Amino acid sequence: QENEVTFGFLGSARPNKGFENIPIILESLSKAKIDFKVRIQQAIFPWPSYLKALEILNLKYSDKVKFIEGNIGIDEFDFEWNLIDFLVLPYNVEFYKYAGSGLLFEANDRDIQVIAPFGTAFSKDIEDYGIGFLYDTSKNFAKAFEVKFTSKEGKLDYVWATSWGVSTRLMGALIMAHSDDDGLVLPPKLAPIQVVIIPVFRDPSKLRGAQIA
């Protein structure tokens, strides 16, 4: 439909990222008489309040919602970006201040408007970008991936795991800090050798063609 708006809740759902708020958001959209569709990326590892919100969404908004796998590939994720008008990040900022930064950068690159609570925004510097912050994931991922160790008592137990927040967001911070509108710029310590390509042509017509290209 011409006036229909598509909202995307992209990024695999995790605790404190506000999945439980999605039914409330959709109710507000309905009350405002907004003609909308929603594409929601699901969780890889569900939790109780997530399942309750999922049940409400299936019950009340089955005609509005399209669910996406939590672990889709890069090409599929790229496809999803092309289908939405707004990216919605309903994060609980109090508990997850640094969540979603990568999605914000992606949305900015694609000129997609972002709807998010106050406090979820571009960071003013690399420190606020959440690089190297330690997140205690307890035994959740250990149980999901069956990662165990043998204790001093000789018994198998799940490991206690942490996440250091250094992954693709590191590349995002690098580009954010050093690049500009003309393209990618890498800092000297990463790219210590600069190369300047100077084309040399004996035939002026070929030089003109290179300048146009």
Side-chain angles (χ1 to χ4, degrees), residues 125-144:
D125 53 31
I126 293 177
E127 284 77 16
D128 284 343
Y129 192 43
I131 294 176
F133 281 80
L134 177 62
Y135 301 102
D136 180 10
T137 60
S138 186
K139 296 186 178 183
N140 296 333
F141 285 100
K143 292 178 180 178

Side-chain angles (χ1 to χ4, degrees), residues 19-205:
F19 191 91
E20 297 84 354
N21 296 328
I22 297 180
I24 300 172
I25 295 172
L26 299 194
E27 183 177 358
S28 298
L29 291 173
S30 297
K31 287 182 178 179
K33 299 187 183 304
I34 296 175
D35 188 11
F36 67 92
K37 291 288 185 182
V38 183
R39 303 186 73 82
I40 303 174
Q41 193 166 358
Q42 297 178 287
I44 299 175
F45 308 112
W47 62 97
S49 56
Y50 163 85
L51 294 174
K52 183 176 181 181
L54 199 63
E55 183 180 357
I56 295 172
L57 291 170
N58 281 313
L59 182 65
K60 297 181 65 175
Y61 302 103
S62 60
D63 60 327
K64 298 283 188 182
V65 175
K66 168 66 177 178
F67 290 107
I68 311 161
E69 294 277 340
N71 57 347
I72 59 175
I74 295 176
D75 291 340
E76 295 166 296
F77 199 56
D78 182 69
F79 174 77
E80 290 299 328
W81 281 105
N82 295 324
L83 298 177
I84 65 173
D85 301 300
F86 292 90
L87 171 69
V88 186
L89 304 175
Y91 296 148
N92 186 332
V93 180
E94 180 182 354
F95 293 98
Y96 212 152
K97 291 182 180 179
Y98 303 100
S101 294
L103 291 172
L104 283 164
F105 277 98
E106 185 73 23
N108 178 68
D109 290 342
R110 294 171 180 268
D111 291 325
I112 294 175
Q113 298 295 312
V114 178
I115 301 173
F118 179 77
T120 305
F122 287 101
S123 303
K124 65 181 183 298
D125 53 31
I126 293 177
E127 284 77 16
D128 284 343
Y129 192 43
I131 294 176
F133 281 80
L134 177 62
Y135 301 102
D136 180 10
T137 60
S138 186
K139 296 186 178 183
N140 296 333
F141 285 100
K143 292 178 180 178
F145 292 102
E146 288 294 318
V147 181
K148 299 180 180 180
F149 72 103
T150 303
S151 67
K152 62 181 179 181
E153 291 82 15
K155 297 180 179 180
L156 283 177
D157 194 8
Y158 291 103
V159 301
W160 292 86
T162 58
S163 171
W164 290 85
V166 178
S167 56
T168 51
R169 71 172 62 189
L170 189 62
M171 296 303 297
L174 176 72
I175 294 170
M176 173 189 72
H178 295 280
S179 298
D180 54 31
D181 291 339
D182 292 327
L184 176 64
V185 178
L186 298 177
K189 287 189 177 181
L190 184 64
I193 300 175
Q194 297 186 16
V195 177
V196 179
I197 300 175
I198 303 176
V200 178
F201 296 96
R202 294 181 180 178
D203 185 343
S205 63

